[in-house]
Amino acid sequence: MVISMPRGTQDILPEESIKWQYIEGKLREISKNFCYEEIRTPMFESTELFSRGVGDTTDIVQKEMYTFQDKGNRSLTLRPEGTAGTVRSYIENKLFAKTIQPQKLYYVGPMFRYERKQKGRYRQFVQYGVEVIGEESPKIDAEVISLAYNIYRMFGIENIKVSINSLGNPEERQAYNEALVKHFEPRINEFCEDCNNRLYKNPMRILDCKVDAGHELIKSAPKLLDYLGEESKQYFAEVLKHLDALGVKYEIDHNLVRGLDYYTHTAFEIMIDNPEVELKTLCGGGRYNGLIKLLDGPEDKKGIGFALSIERLLLALESENIELPIDDTIDVFVVAMGEEASNAGVKLTNDLRLAGYSVQNDYFDKKMKAQMKIADRYNAKYSIIIGQSELESGTLVVKDMKSFEQEIIKLENIVDYLQEKLRGEK
């Protein structure tokens, strides 16, 4: 029997993984420009971290987590998202005591959720996320949203917008939840099973339901902004003012509530602003002022962040017909003719690799014409030809694979020659 990969996962083959490498490299470069530092947390954590941090009433905790007992009978869970683990590390490693505050962190890595496979969704998927933990300011919120917004623009995706809402503080959110219960309760039997289960546990999630999105009660539901106090309204207005200054295109979405319990105040999603594209939501995030305290950290520390799926970023690039500027060339292919030259070619290949060049040679002593075809398949910029006469004269024939021009170069000068030819590419 042929063993297949687990359902909801994917093999990323070399012709695709080169795109992933480019994207991840670009994300790290952008993060550095915005002064975010990388954090790496375990792929599995205590189950309690997610049940407390993400929320018992969320779909993630109730339906989607990969949870198991280890040999010490401890309940562990493969991380379904990155915020809870980052906050746990912030508290455990006392990053709140660092001189520089807030802590601006980013991560790139696999997450795991047991959900139905669909386009852009996998049970193992890779997220890039940022978290700004320690201080609260509308300027921070606007910076985080601007970072998410501009990531897509830097990859060439122009048709995007920010959907944004304010979830208020816990007291305002509670008052709003009570209003939603009164609104939906008389006709809750018209909604799906999930919405029925959410009515008293987390009624805001009904607004986010994909099954009943067109129901008239969702369209006529109370607006959360009407339940905000003056302080929360002013904070939200300041966020929008800074987004205007940053040139971020946004629209207020009164039904945007996000799926996790820890969000307060600012919540947002990045959307493709193109009615012809099936994939709409690219990433989301928001402020989580109570999460640090909930996980037994300092009460006065606040946080905000977002996460994006690299799988969905790739789909967005595809939907917008954007080609990544991938360099799939190698610097040199060494062509050796004859046994003695072949041995010298192996040494030359190794010497050039150690000098910082990408180099390949032939393993099977093929004829020169066949080796040149292999050099073409590798998209080599140059081929270096060694035969008996070159060995005797201490020279190499260097061929430009685009112009087909050839030069004879002394063996001891080859590194300097390549450095001159490939200057600016290294």
Side-chain angles (χ1 to χ4, degrees), residues 1 6 9 20 51 63-65 95 97 109 135 177-178 296 307 311 315 338 345 373 388 411:
M1 182 182 75
T9 62
W20 285 71
S51 61
K63 302 177 182 179
E64 298 172 0
M65 295 201 313
L95 297 185
E135 306 292 342
N177 278 329
E178 291 172 3
D296 302 321
E311 290 87 349
L315 281 175
K373 285 184 178 179
Q388 189 61 39
L411 174 61

Side-chain angles (χ1 to χ4, degrees), residues 160-218:
I160 55 172
K161 65 181 178 183
V162 175
S163 289
I164 191 168
N165 197 14
S166 174
L167 305 183
N169 62 37
E171 292 76 21
E172 293 158 353
R173 185 169 171 163
Q174 178 59 34
Y176 181 59
N177 278 329
E178 291 172 3
L180 287 178
V181 170
K182 291 179 182 178
H183 178 75
F184 288 115
E185 193 172 37
R187 296 171 61 184
I188 193 62
N189 61 307
E190 299 174 16
F191 287 78
C192 69
E193 182 180 352
D194 282 342
C195 285
N196 275 265
N197 292 334
R198 291 166 178 160
L199 179 62
Y200 300 110
K201 295 178 180 178
N202 194 348
M204 288 173 62
R205 292 299 317 284
I206 299 176
L207 301 175
D208 199 31
C209 179
K210 301 299 184 289
V211 177
D212 298 312
H215 197 287
E216 61 177 301
L217 286 186
I218 289 183

Side-chain angles (χ1 to χ4, degrees), residues 45 124 216-217 238 241 253 300 330 369 378 404:
E45 300 263 10
Q124 177 180 319
E216 61 177 301
L217 286 186
E238 288 289 315
K241 182 183 75 173
D253 181 352
D300 61 332
I330 66 169
K369 186 176 181 180
Y378 272 102
F404 302 111

Side-chain angles (χ1 to χ4, degrees), residues 135-300:
E135 306 292 342
E136 179 183 28
S137 165
K139 290 182 180 179
I140 295 175
D141 294 30
E143 179 188 289
V144 169
I145 296 169
S146 173
L147 172 55
Y149 180 78
N150 282 299
I151 280 173
Y152 293 99
R153 291 172 60 85
M154 289 178 187
F155 279 106
I157 304 172
E158 297 287 343
N159 296 321
I160 55 172
K161 65 181 178 183
V162 175
S163 289
I164 191 168
N165 197 14
S166 174
L167 305 183
N169 62 37
E171 292 76 21
E172 293 158 353
R173 185 169 171 163
Q174 178 59 34
Y176 181 59
N177 278 329
E178 291 172 3
L180 287 178
V181 170
K182 291 179 182 178
H183 178 75
F184 288 115
E185 193 172 37
R187 296 171 61 184
I188 193 62
N189 61 307
E190 299 174 16
F191 287 78
C192 69
E193 182 180 352
D194 282 342
C195 285
N196 275 265
N197 292 334
R198 291 166 178 160
L199 179 62
Y200 300 110
K201 295 178 180 178
N202 194 348
M204 288 173 62
R205 292 299 317 284
I206 299 176
L207 301 175
D208 199 31
C209 179
K210 301 299 184 289
V211 177
D212 298 312
H215 197 287
E216 61 177 301
L217 286 186
I218 289 183
K219 296 179 180 179
S220 63
K223 293 177 173 58
L224 203 158
L225 291 179
D226 294 335
Y227 288 79
L228 301 185
E230 285 306 312
E231 188 174 335
S232 293
K233 287 180 180 178
Q234 181 61 33
Y235 189 94
F236 190 50
E238 288 289 315
V239 173
L240 299 182
K241 182 183 75 173
H242 291 303
L243 290 178
D244 289 333
L246 292 169
V248 174
K249 185 169 67 172
Y250 64 85
E251 66 177 26
I252 297 173
D253 181 352
H254 296 290
N255 288 344
L256 175 61
V257 295
R258 302 292 298 149
L260 307 180
D261 282 356
Y262 51 58
Y263 286 119
T264 56
H265 290 293
T266 309
F268 69 94
E269 292 179 346
I270 308 293
M271 316 286 290
I272 288 187
D273 193 12
N274 184 346
E276 298 180 2
V277 175
E278 180 183 352
L279 179 71
K280 296 297 183 186
T281 305
L282 295 176
C283 82
R287 177 159 287 286
Y288 45 85
N289 286 350
L291 181 59
I292 294 90
K293 178 185 176 183
L294 183 66
L295 296 178
D296 302 321
E299 184 175 350
D300 61 332

Side-chain angles (χ1 to χ4, degrees), residues 97-111:
K98 293 276 189 178
T99 304
I100 296 177
Q101 293 294 330
Q103 287 286 291
K104 298 171 62 174
L105 308 169
Y106 80 90
Y107 55 83
V108 182
M111 309 292 164

Side-chain angles (χ1 to χ4, degrees), residues 391-426:
L391 287 176
E392 292 172 358
S393 62
T395 61
L396 301 168
V397 177
V398 183
K399 181 176 181 179
D400 186 314
M401 296 298 285
K402 284 187 177 179
S403 69
F404 302 111
E405 295 177 353
Q406 293 187 174
E407 294 185 65
I408 297 175
I409 306 297
K410 284 284 188 181
L411 174 61
E412 63 264 27
N413 295 333
I414 187 60
V415 172
D416 291 338
Y417 176 86
L418 291 174
Q419 185 177 20
E420 177 68 26
K421 290 293 184 180
L422 298 170
R423 181 177 293 166
E425 298 184 22
K426 291 295 175 187

